[in-house]
Amino acid sequence: MYELEETDLTQEAYRQLLDRLFDICDTVSFAVLPKKMMGQTQTLHSLLQELEPYLREVVHMNGTRTNSFDSHISVPNYYYCTCPASKQVIMRAADILFRWQQPSLPEDLSFLRKGEEYFVTNAHEGYAMLFAEDKHLLELGGTKWSRID
């Protein structure tokens, strides 16, 4: 497993990172926290509408892929297919990885491959995790990965 901190990813590398993740993963995911917790903007709602055609499912959990909350808090986690059209929407939404946080955007942009976590973020905490030995991502210029066990 590898960690990428907010300061270890350049803006240029962000686009290449997303290109790779959309190529290799089959699902992109994020969560929308309850309005009373984090607020929500029209930008967030517009993004959800734009991605609607690519929605696979919404799963209510007591957190996001990287955070757990009290059991009485229900958080919708959205799962979308990765395709050129959904990629375009995601790429337009933010110019850096760690902008994926409310109130403007959903929380914790993540990618899955065959139902397994491949890459997840915790934008508020300023880190991302890679769960695979992806040589392409690990050697991507503009990134500095740390191996953690």
Side-chain angles (χ1 to χ4, degrees):
M1 182 175 1
Y2 297 87
E3 183 178 70
L4 181 70
E5 293 186 17
E6 186 171 3
T7 56
D8 296 334
L9 177 68
T10 65
Q11 186 174 357
E12 297 79 26
Y14 166 67
R15 295 239 174 253
Q16 294 174 357
L17 175 85
L18 284 187
D19 280 337
R20 173 66 176 170
L21 292 170
F22 268 92
D23 285 347
I24 199 159
C25 295
D26 52 37
T27 304
V28 59
S29 172
F30 52 67
V32 176
L33 301 179
K35 191 173 188 175
K36 63 183 177 185
M37 285 179 69
M38 297 299 294
Q40 297 175 0
T41 66
Q42 185 56 43
T43 305
L44 185 148
H45 292 287
S46 296
L47 179 71
L48 293 176
Q49 287 177 339
E50 222 176 325
L51 287 169
E52 180 71 27
Y54 319 107
L55 183 65
R56 287 191 172 164
E57 67 178 328
V58 178
V59 177
H60 289 264
M61 304 174 0
N62 71 322
T64 69
R65 296 203 76 75
T66 57
N67 289 301
S68 294
F69 303 118
D70 292 335
S71 60
H72 69 279
I73 297 174
S74 178
V75 177
N77 285 259
Y78 293 77
Y79 294 85
Y80 299 92
C81 65
T82 54
C83 64
S86 64
K87 175 182 173 181
Q88 186 177 39
V89 174
I90 296 291
M91 295 280 266
R92 254 193 342 258
D95 57 355
I96 58 173
L97 182 63
F98 297 98
R99 276 223 179 102
W100 284 92
Q101 52 185 296
Q102 281 181 239
S104 298
L105 292 172
E107 292 283 317
D108 301 339
L109 185 68
S110 300
F111 289 83
L112 293 86
R113 184 174 183 198
K114 298 178 183 173
E116 300 292 322
E117 290 180 329
Y118 196 86
F119 179 85
V120 300
T121 63
N122 188 330
H124 278 101
E125 299 298 325
Y127 71 89
M129 306 291 289
L130 177 65
F131 294 93
E133 291 281 335
D134 187 323
K135 197 170 201 130
H136 182 84
L137 288 180
L138 294 172
E139 295 175 359
L140 180 64
T143 64
K144 183 180 172 189
W145 297 91
S146 300
R147 185 177 183 88
I148 57 172
D149 295 314

